[in-house]
C-alpha cells in the first residue's frame, strides 16, 4: 500500500551542513546527507556517536546551531516537530500510559483538524495492517513488548508521514521477537514505500534492513553506502572494524618494492597505486578471507591460541611470529588444537589497506 | 499450616512487633480511649461519669460548635484547592534545571520550615490595620486601612491566606517530584503528535501526575481540617467565633473549660469528618481501570 499524497513532489530528506552543540560538546559536526523519498536509510554507530541526535534534529526534538533541513522539498528547521511531516518510533515506545491503544493511535490525528470519520477510517486501516484490532481498548501496561512495539509503529503510520524514524526500536525485544519485528519493518517499508530512517548500533539490523547505511563515529559520518559497499569497501579502519563479526583483522605493515610487508616479514605481493604511503600502513583482512592450511604452506605461519566452535563454523584465534593476532574463519570440522603451528593464506583480492590516519588507501588491493 | 510456615509467621511477627507496640500504644490506645472518654462527662482533674451519647447530642445543638464546623469546612474549601492548583502551577513553572528555578524553589519552600508562631507574626505585621504592610500600601493610595483580623467576613480568609503562604512548599515539591518522573519521551511523542502546550498539559502531564494530585489533596485536606495555631495566635477564633476552627473549639472546651469528655466527643466528630473527606476524595479519584 502506498499513501496518496496529492500534489507533493517526491522529496525525501536533505540535510545540509548540520551542526549541533550541547554546551561546549559538539554532537554533530557539519553533517550533510540526502535520503530519497522511498529509501530505507540505517544510521549505524556506537553509543555517543551522534546518531540519535541526528534523528532528533530531523524530527525537531533538538534545534540545530547551523545548517538546513529539507523534508519533501520544504525547509523545516524552524518548524515544530508536529508540523514537519515526520513520525517516530521511540526506543522505549513512549506510548501514553493512561490512554488505550485506540487513543494512543488517534491522539496525533485528533490534534489536527481531521474529520472524525477520516480518523476512524485510518485507525481501522492501521489496526488491520498491524493486527491490533483485538487490542484497541487495552492500556499499554496490558500489552506485551511486541504488541507495544506494534502500537508504536501504528501510531507512526496512522499519520501518513513523509518520513518514518526509528530510534533503536528493537533493542528492548528478545532475540526471536527482534528477528521477526525486523522482517515486519522491512515488509512495512516495501508496502508503504516511504522514507525510513532507522538508528541502531546493531550491524545485523543495519545490514538486513538498509538500502543505504550511514556509519557514524565521533559526531561525523565515516561512510555512506549500500550494505555490501560498507562491508566490502570500508572507507576507514573504524568502518572496517565496526561492521562484520568477528571483526576485521588489522595488521601493521610497510610498503616495499613487491607489495606490502607485514611485521613478521611476510610479503604480500601486490601492485600498489602511487598514493599508498611507504610507512605506517595497516592491512585489513576479514576472518573469512584467511585460510588456515598445513604448516609450511600459505603466506605465513601462525600458532593456534584458542578455538571457538560455533557449530556451523569455527573461529580460529592465531598468533603470528611478530606477536600480532588474527582471527580466521574455518569449517566446523577444524581439527587443530591450541599450540599447534599452522600456515595462513591471505586472499589477496580481499585485503584492505589503510594509512596512518585510518583512511582506506587504494581501497582493496 | 505446616510447622515451617508457622515458624516463619512467628519470626515475621517478631520483626513487626516493635512497630506494632508503638503503633498500639501511641495511636490505637489513645483513639479508643478518646472514644471511650467521649461517652463520659469528665473533668480534667478527676471525676468522670458515663453518660452514653449525651455529649454528642449536646454538640449537635451547640451553636458555637456548629459554627466551628462551618468555619473549618469553609477554611478547607478556601485553602486546599488553592494549595493544590498554586502548588501545581509553581511546580510547572519551576520544573527545570536553571539556577533561577532552583533559587525560587528554595524561596517558595522556605516558608514551610518556619514555625506557626513566626508565620503568624509575619502575617500579623502584614495584616494589622495599625501600621501593617497592607494598611501602609492602602494609605499611600489614599485608602483607609482594612481590619482583616477583626472583620468577621475577612478574619477566616486572612487566616487562609496566611496558611497558603505557609504551606505552599510541600504541594509544590510533591508536584515537582511527580513531574520529574514523567518520561521525557512522552513529551517528545506528544510534540510529534502535534499537541500544543495546553493539550499536552491536559492529556499527558495531568494524567501522569494524577496519583500525586490525589495525595496532595488528601494530605492537605487532613492538614487543613486541623487548623489551630494560626487561628489561636491571629484571632483567638474571633471576632465572635467568626474564625473559630474545630480544633480551637476542642482546645477551649478541654483545656480552658476542663470539660474533656465534651472535647473528646468533638474530636471524634472531627476525626469522622476528616476520614470521610479523605476517603471520598480517594475513591472518587481512583482510576476505575486500575481498581
Amino acid at each position: 500500500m502506498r499513501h496518496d499524497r496529492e500534489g507533493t513532489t517526491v522529496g525525501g530528506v536533505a540535510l545540509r551542513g548540520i551542526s549541533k552543540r550541547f554546551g561546549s560538546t559538539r554532537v554533530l559536526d557539519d553533517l550533510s546527507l540526502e535520503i530519497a523519498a522511498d529509501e530505507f536509510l540505517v544510521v549505524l554507530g556506537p553509543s555517543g556517536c551522534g546518531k540519535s541526535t541526528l534523528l532528533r534534529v530531523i524530527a525537531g526534538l533538538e534545534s540545530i546551531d547551523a545548517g538546513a533541513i529539507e523534508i519533501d522539498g520544504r525547509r523545516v528547521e524552524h518548524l515544530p516537530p508536529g508540523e514537519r511531516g515526520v513520525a517516530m518510533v521511540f526506543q522505549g515506545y513512549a506510548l501514553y500510559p493512561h490512554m488505550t491503544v485506540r487513543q494512543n493511535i488517534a491522539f496525533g490525528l485528533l490534534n489536527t483538524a481531521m474529520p472524525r470519520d477520516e480518523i476512524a477510517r485510518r485507525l481501522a486501516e492501521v489496526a488491520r495492517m498491524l493486527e491490533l484490532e483485538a487490542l484497541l481498548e487495552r492500556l499499554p501496561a496490558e500489552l506485551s513488548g511486541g504488541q507495544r512495539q506494534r502500537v508504536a509503529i501504528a501510531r507512526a503510520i496512522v499519520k501518513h508521514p513523509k518520513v518514518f524514524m526509528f530510534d533503536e526500536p528493537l533493542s528492548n525485544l528478545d532475540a526471536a521477537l527482534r528477528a521477526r519485528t525486523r522482517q515486519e519493518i522491512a515488509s512495512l517499508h516495501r508496502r508503504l514505500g516511504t522514507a525510513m530512517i532507522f538508528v541502531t548500533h546493531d550491524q545485523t539490523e543495519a545490514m538486513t534492513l538498509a538500502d543505504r547505511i550511514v556509519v557514524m563515529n565521533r559526531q561525523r559520518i565515516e561512510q555512506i553506502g549500500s550494505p555490501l559497499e560498507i562491508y566490502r569497501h570500508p572507507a576507514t579502519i573504524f568502518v572496517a572494524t565496526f561492521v562484520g563479526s568477528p571483526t576485521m583483522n588489522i595488521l601493521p605493515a610497510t610498503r616495499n618494492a613487491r607489495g606490502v610487508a607485514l611485521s613478521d616479514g611476510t610479503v604480500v605481493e601486490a601492485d600498489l597505486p602511487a598514493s599508498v604511503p611507504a610507512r605506517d600502513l595497516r592491512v585489513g583482512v576479514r576472518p573469512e578471507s584467511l585460510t588456515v592450511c598445513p604448516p609450511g604452506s600459505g603466506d605465513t605461519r601462525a600458532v593456534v591460541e584458542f578455538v571457538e566452535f560455533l557449530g556451523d563454523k569455527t573461529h580460529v584465534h592465531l598468533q603470528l611470529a611478530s606477536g600480532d593476532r588474527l582471527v580466521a574463519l574455518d569449517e566446523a570440522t577444524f581439527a587443530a588444537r591450541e599450540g599447534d603451528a599452522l600456515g595462513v593464506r591471505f586472499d589477496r583480492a580481499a585485503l584492505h589497506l589503510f594509512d596512518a590516519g585510518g583512511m582506506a588507501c587504494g581501497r582493496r588491493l | 499450616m505446616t510447622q515451617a510456615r508457622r515458624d516463619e509467621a512467628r519470626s515475621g511477627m517478631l520483626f513487626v512487633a516493635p512497630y506494632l507496640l508503638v503503633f498500639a500504644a501511641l495511636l490505637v490506645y489513645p483513639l479508643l480511649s478518646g472514644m471511650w472518654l467521649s461517652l463520659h462527662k469528665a473533668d480534667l482533674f478527676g471525676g468522670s461519669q458515663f453518660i452514653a451519647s449525651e455529649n454528642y447530642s449536646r454538640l449537635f445543638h451547640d451553636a458555637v460548635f456548629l459554627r466551628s464546623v462551618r468555619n473549618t469546612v469553609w477554611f478547607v474549601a478556601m485553602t486546599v484547592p488553592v494549595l493544590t492548583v498554586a502548588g501545581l502551577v509553581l511546580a510547572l513553572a519551576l520544573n527545570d534545571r536553571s539556577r533561577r528555578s532552583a533559587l525560587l524553589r528554595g524561596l517558595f519552600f522556605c516558608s514551610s520550615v518556619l514555625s506557626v508562631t513566626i508565620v503568624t507574626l509575619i502575617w500579623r505585621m502584614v495584616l494589622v490595620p495599625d501600621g501593617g504592610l497592607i494598611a501602609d500600601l492602602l494609605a499611600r493610595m489614599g485608602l483607609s486601612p482594612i481590619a482583616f483580623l477583626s472583620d468577621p467576613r475577612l478574619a477566616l480568609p486572612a487566616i487562609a491566606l496566611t496558611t497558603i503562604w505557609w504551606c505552599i512548599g510541600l504541594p509544590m515539591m510533591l508536584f515537582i517530584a511527580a513531574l520529574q518522573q514523567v518520561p521525557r519521551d512522552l513529551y517528545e511523542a506528544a510534540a510529534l503528535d502535534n499537541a500544543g502546550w495546553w493539550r499536552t498539559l491536559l492529556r499527558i502531564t495531568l494524567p501522569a501526575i494524577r496519583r500525586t494530585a490525589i495525595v496532595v489533596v488528601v494530605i492537605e485536606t487532613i492538614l487543613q481540617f486541623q487548623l489551630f495555631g494560626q487561628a489561636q495566635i491571629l484571632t483567638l477564633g474571633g471576632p465572635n467565633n467568626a474564625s473559630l476552627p474545630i480544633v480551637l473549639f476542642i482546645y477551649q472546651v478541654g483545656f480552658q473549660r476542663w470539660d474533656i469528655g465534651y472535647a473528646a466527643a468533638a474530636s471524634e466528630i472531627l476525626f469522622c469528618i476528616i476520614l470521610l473527606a479523605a476517603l471520598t476524595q480517594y475513591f472518587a479519584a481512583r482510576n476505575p481501570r486500575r481498581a
Side-chain angles (χ1 to χ4, degrees):
Chain A
M1 189 200 76
R2 280 184 82 102
H3 296 309
D4 299 323
R5 293 189 296 277
E6 309 100 290
T8 55
T9 52
V10 176
V13 181
L15 308 178
R16 305 193 205 289
I18 301 287
S19 290
K20 169 76 184 166
R21 283 172 171 279
F22 288 129
S24 61
T25 314
R26 192 183 283 271
V27 285
L28 291 176
D29 188 10
D30 191 23
L31 187 145
S32 294
L33 182 63
E34 293 206 356
I35 301 146
D38 57 354
E39 186 174 13
F40 199 124
L41 185 90
V42 173
V43 184
L44 176 68
S47 304
C49 70
K51 59 189 191 298
S52 284
T53 308
L54 175 65
L55 207 61
R56 296 167 58 79
V57 154
I58 300 171
L61 299 173
E62 303 285 356
S63 61
I64 50 174
D65 299 328
I69 304 172
E70 280 177 26
I71 294 176
D72 207 21
R74 187 173 62 129
R75 287 282 288 267
V76 297
E77 66 268 16
H78 55 284
L79 293 178
E83 292 175 23
R84 295 190 178 195
V86 299
M88 185 152 159
V89 176
F90 291 83
Q91 186 171 7
Y93 315 136
L95 299 180
Y96 310 121
H98 50 278
M99 293 188 202
T100 61
V101 169
R102 179 191 299 281
Q103 291 166 331
N104 260 286
I105 298 173
F107 186 65
L109 303 183
L110 289 168
N111 293 331
T112 61
M114 186 177 287
R116 295 280 166 148
D117 52 348
E118 171 65 6
I119 294 177
R121 193 188 64 75
R122 286 200 190 183
L123 195 109
E125 180 186 284
V126 294
R128 193 175 56 248
M129 191 193 293
L130 289 161
E131 296 168 25
L132 291 170
E133 285 136 318
L135 308 174
L136 286 175
E137 303 312 322
R138 294 217 197 148
L139 290 173
E142 298 161 346
L143 303 176
S144 70
Q147 290 168 333
R148 281 180 214 181
Q149 169 75 270
R150 294 218 303 277
V151 176
I153 293 174
R155 188 170 68 175
I157 293 177
V158 81
K159 289 190 276 191
H160 292 191
K162 299 188 171 65
V163 187
F164 283 102
M165 302 202 279
F166 297 85
D167 189 4
E168 308 218 15
L170 308 182
S171 55
N172 289 341
L173 303 177
D174 63 47
L177 199 53
R178 198 179 306 155
R180 208 174 72 210
T181 311
R182 212 167 58 209
Q183 292 162 11
E184 282 174 6
I185 290 176
S187 96
L188 197 70
H189 177 245
R190 280 194 297 276
R191 277 191 283 172
L192 297 177
T194 309
M196 289 189 176
I197 308 175
F198 187 105
V199 161
T200 182
H201 62 266
D202 183 316
Q203 50 168 307
T204 314
E205 287 169 20
M207 298 299 277
T208 52
L209 286 170
D211 293 326
R212 275 194 308 161
I213 296 177
V214 174
V215 184
M216 284 187 73
N217 183 37
R218 295 186 180 175
Q219 297 75 49
R220 283 176 166 277
I221 293 177
E222 293 267 336
Q223 187 174 2
I224 305 175
S226 72
L228 276 185
E229 269 171 13
I230 297 279
Y231 191 78
R232 290 189 180 159
H233 305 290
T236 63
I237 282 195
F238 174 81
V239 177
T241 52
F242 192 75
V243 178
S245 175
T247 190
M248 182 187 280
N249 299 295
I250 304 291
L251 299 169
T254 49
R255 178 176 187 167
N256 69 12
R258 289 191 291 148
V260 179
L262 302 182
S263 51
D264 69 343
T266 310
V267 174
V268 182
E269 291 182 9
D271 189 15
L272 297 180
S275 60
V276 175
R279 295 155 61 91
D280 286 336
L281 281 176
R282 302 275 183 281
V283 171
V285 55
R286 294 211 178 271
E288 67 268 26
S289 306
L290 288 174
T291 313
V292 290
C293 45
S297 59
D299 295 306
T300 185
R301 64 188 298 275
V303 175
V304 178
E305 275 203 311
F306 63 97
V307 181
E308 292 174 305
F309 294 102
L310 300 180
D312 58 335
K313 59 192 172 191
T314 304
H315 294 171
V316 188
H317 294 254
L318 303 159
Q319 189 171 30
L320 299 179
S322 59
D324 292 321
R325 291 186 163 81
L326 292 173
V327 181
L329 212 60
D330 205 271
E331 288 170 9
T333 52
F334 181 79
R337 293 196 186 161
E338 287 166 26
D340 288 357
L342 289 172
V344 178
R345 182 175 298 122
F346 295 89
D347 176 359
R348 279 171 177 63
L351 292 184
H352 303 261
L353 267 186
F354 302 97
D355 64 18
M359 303 300 289
C361 39
R363 291 269 167 120
R364 280 154 61 143
L365 294 178
Chain B
M1 198 188 265
T2 64
Q3 181 63 35
R5 283 201 139 218
R6 260 198 300 275
D7 287 350
E8 200 183 346
R10 204 171 297 142
S11 63
M13 279 306 292
L14 276 176
F15 278 104
V16 291
Y19 171 74
L20 275 184
L21 278 178
V22 174
F23 179 75
L26 298 183
L27 234 124
V28 179
Y29 172 71
L31 186 73
L32 295 176
S33 101
M35 286 177 186
W36 182 240
L37 186 61
S38 72
L39 304 176
H40 289 73
K41 176 156 186 60
D43 191 282
L44 194 55
F45 294 100
S48 123
Q49 179 197 347
F50 184 80
I51 53 170
S53 62
E54 197 179 307
N55 280 332
Y56 290 96
S57 47
R58 256 176 78 202
L59 275 173
F60 287 120
H61 296 96
D62 184 336
V64 177
F65 175 71
L66 295 178
R67 179 78 197 260
S68 77
V69 173
R70 275 200 304 278
N71 286 343
T72 311
V73 171
W74 175 225
F75 175 79
V76 168
M78 278 190 289
T79 50
V80 174
V82 176
L83 281 168
T84 309
V85 173
L88 177 62
V89 170
L90 283 176
L92 287 169
L94 302 180
N95 180 30
D96 60 56
R97 292 173 184 275
S98 69
R99 273 167 186 270
R100 182 189 62 98
S101 292
L103 185 76
L104 288 174
R105 282 198 296 266
L107 269 179
F108 280 108
F109 192 73
C110 74
S111 64
S112 303
V113 302
L114 300 176
S115 78
V116 67
T117 327
I118 310 285
V119 171
T120 46
L121 211 65
I122 293 169
W123 277 88
R124 179 172 279 281
M125 289 192 284
V126 174
L127 296 169
V128 289
D130 186 14
L133 179 68
I134 295 178
D136 257 13
L137 291 174
L138 290 174
R140 276 179 209 192
M141 290 187 281
L143 300 168
S144 52
I146 300 168
F148 289 98
L149 300 176
S150 46
D151 183 325
R153 283 172 304 133
L154 297 179
L156 203 56
I159 294 174
L161 184 66
T162 307
T163 306
I164 289 164
W165 183 85
W166 185 29
C167 297
I168 192 68
L170 180 66
M172 177 189 76
M173 281 302 182
L174 287 173
F175 278 125
I176 286 176
L179 288 174
Q180 289 177 351
Q181 297 296 313
V182 183
R184 200 179 68 163
D185 59 5
L186 285 190
Y187 290 114
E188 294 177 344
L192 283 162
D193 269 346
N194 243 318
W197 185 88
W198 184 243
R199 199 158 157 77
T200 304
L201 176 71
L202 292 183
R203 298 300 310 274
I204 310 295
T205 310
L206 292 186
I209 60 168
R210 195 166 168 276
R211 284 158 184 271
T212 301
I214 297 169
V215 168
V216 166
V217 171
V218 171
I219 287 181
E220 288 301 330
T221 304
I222 291 170
L223 282 177
Q224 303 314 332
F225 260 116
Q226 299 176 59
L227 167 66
F228 175 65
Q230 306 95 296
Q232 163 83 341
I233 299 172
L234 281 174
T235 63
L236 266 176
N240 193 22
N241 296 330
S243 62
L244 180 76
I246 303 177
V247 179
L248 188 53
F249 172 86
I250 295 167
Y251 172 76
Q252 288 173 351
V253 169
F255 298 101
Q256 289 176 352
R257 284 163 35 195
W258 300 355
D259 190 353
I260 55 167
Y262 195 48
S267 306
E268 296 309 325
I269 290 177
L270 176 62
F271 171 71
C272 292
I273 293 174
I274 294 177
L275 190 68
L276 201 70
L279 285 179
T280 308
Q281 283 161 1
Y282 177 74
F283 283 110
R286 212 162 58 148
N287 186 344
R289 286 293 292 263
R290 296 190 192 278

